[in-house]
Amino acid sequence: MTMIAETPTDRSVALGRRPLRLPGQGIILANLALVLIGLLVLDVHLFSKASLSTLTPTIGVMILMALGQAFIIGTGGIDLSIPSTTTLVGAIVLKEAGGDNSAVLGSIVLALLVCLGIGLANGLLVEVTRLDALVVTLATGQLIAGITRIYRGPVLSISTVPSDLSDFARSSVGHVSIILILAVAVATLIALWMRFHTSGRRLAASSVARPAAENSGLSAARQRITAWMVGTLIVGVGAVLLAGRISTPDLSLGQPYLLTPIVAVVLGGAALSGGRVRPAATVFGAVFLVVLEHILRVRGYSSGVSLAFQGLVLGVGLTLVVVSKHLRWSVVSARRGGNASDRSTSDPVVNQENQE
């Protein structure tokens, strides 16, 4: 009797499962390389107390902003209103609380409800009327910026957030900021929700392939609007923590978060045309950008150099995403002995890759 060893890939395909892979292998390796270069070549002490006190809260806020953007990019959209939303949240927390610790919870709840309303408005305009997300969020961003200036007024009697919020946002466990700990917890909850809960899987299915979701009986438009609302809510959480960290939020609070969260999502392997949200890979993408900017700042480079590097990273990241998908498609096809005409129907692994 001849024994034929079945490879893990063949066994996974036969059972209709995708082979288990660590998400975002490329961005994990990029982070390791960046840390080693910073420590050994550029002599930047990334793990010193001073560096961690600066890096960890900044990374935490960037993770939340990138996760919010990831939900929207997952639908094939993009949200350019995030900076204006962030600034509005800071203004609400500042003005509604009025420096009073007893009013801080109510101001945070109001700010998050406003974020849900912004996400709902953007989602309806994009998913129901089928307007272009880039144009819609650019317009709503300008509208939110104008409303923020009117709401905030020319002069504020109190320019700092309540001390309870500020103390919480500036607290740490060891040398790790509480903001980073909360951001990782949010990313973990999102990953578990989208993988194991029915509502999360429905949202993912509707985001990846709207026509297929509609043909399967899912309310794809409703699920995709939910993705907009969830994404904007996560951004709101990040904005509240950012306002507490800065303590004196002004009209420039959201400016750094226009393009950087998009770059972080792309570095995590997402395609701007839409696809599955990968929280872990998005987290590593955010870490890479913040650590890169910190290294450049410590070495004395200007902000212009940092922006140039971000543009370069975005271009390289987009190229690698496209190339990696084509390579995986070719490798799986060669392994299975298929051709271009039957890959999408006979090979579930390839079909899954195409959806992502």
Side-chain angles (χ1 to χ4, degrees):
M1 182 174 63
T2 304
M3 298 294 292
I4 300 176
E6 186 182 21
T7 64
T9 301
D10 293 336
R11 190 161 52 247
S12 297
V13 171
L15 295 176
R17 295 197 305 265
R18 186 181 179 190
L20 180 64
R21 298 184 309 177
L22 185 65
Q25 300 96 327
I27 189 59
I28 292 175
L29 293 175
N31 273 284
L32 291 175
L34 182 63
V35 169
L36 290 176
I37 291 173
L39 290 173
L40 303 179
V41 179
L42 300 178
D43 194 28
V44 177
H45 302 289
L46 294 173
F47 299 104
S48 66
K49 182 179 180 180
S51 291
L52 289 176
S53 64
T54 302
L55 273 174
T56 54
T58 308
I59 291 173
V61 173
M62 185 60 70
I63 286 173
L64 292 170
M65 298 297 179
L67 286 172
Q69 187 68 264
F71 270 94
I72 295 159
I73 289 178
T75 67
I78 197 167
D79 191 355
L80 298 183
S81 67
I82 284 179
S84 299
T85 301
T86 301
T87 302
L88 177 58
V89 168
I92 292 173
V93 172
L94 189 64
K95 190 166 184 177
E96 293 301 319
D100 185 3
N101 287 323
S102 63
V104 65
L105 182 59
S107 66
I108 292 174
V109 171
L110 177 61
L112 296 181
L113 288 175
V114 169
C115 288
L116 286 173
I118 293 171
L120 176 61
N122 284 335
L124 288 172
L125 288 171
V126 173
E127 302 299 339
V128 176
T129 65
R130 303 295 181 95
L131 294 174
D132 184 76
L134 191 69
V135 176
V136 166
T137 56
L138 185 62
T140 55
Q142 289 296 101
L143 178 62
I144 294 167
I147 292 174
T148 302
R149 289 178 180 273
I150 295 172
Y151 167 76
R152 195 174 187 273
V155 179
L156 287 173
S157 57
I158 297 178
S159 59
T160 58
V161 301
S163 58
D164 283 356
L165 176 60
S166 179
D167 292 342
F168 175 78
R170 294 182 177 184
S171 62
S172 60
V173 178
H175 299 312
V176 179
S177 171
I178 192 67
I179 298 178
L180 177 56
I181 295 173
L182 290 175
V184 173
V186 169
T188 303
L189 289 174
I190 291 172
L192 293 174
W193 173 54
M194 299 194 72
R195 183 173 181 85
F196 296 109
H197 198 272
T198 303
S199 61
R201 292 199 297 269
R202 285 177 179 172
L203 187 145
S206 300
S207 296
V208 172
R210 179 171 185 161
E214 290 174 343
N215 292 334
S216 301
L218 294 177
S219 179
R222 186 178 64 187
Q223 297 293 337
R224 291 162 71 89
I225 291 171
T226 300
W228 279 85
M229 294 176 67
V230 171
T232 312
L233 179 63
I234 295 171
V235 168
V237 173
V240 169
L241 294 172
L242 177 63
R245 177 72 185 179
I246 292 177
S247 186
T248 56
D250 55 18
L251 294 175
S252 65
L253 182 67
Q255 285 182 0
Y257 303 102
L258 177 61
L259 295 179
T260 311
I262 301 173
V263 180
V265 176
V266 171
L267 286 177
L272 293 179
S273 56
R276 192 174 300 277
V277 177
R278 296 181 176 90
T282 302
V283 167
F284 283 110
V287 171
F288 181 88
L289 288 178
V290 174
V291 172
L292 174 62
E293 184 178 3
H294 179 77
I295 290 175
L296 292 175
R297 190 187 302 116
V298 170
R299 296 300 299 175
Y301 292 101
S302 66
S303 59
V305 175
S306 176
L307 291 174
F309 265 97
Q310 286 187 18
L312 178 63
V313 167
L314 177 59
V316 173
L318 286 171
T319 302
L320 291 177
V321 167
V322 175
V323 171
S324 65
K325 287 183 182 295
H326 284 296
L327 286 176
R328 290 201 300 268
W329 205 16
S330 301
V331 168
V332 173
S333 178
R335 185 179 297 163
R336 299 291 297 158
N339 52 46
S341 63
D342 62 9
R343 277 185 299 209
S344 62
T345 58
S346 64
D347 198 325
V349 176
V350 174
N351 191 45
Q352 179 70 17
E353 292 294 340
N354 289 336
Q355 288 185 349
E356 294 184 358

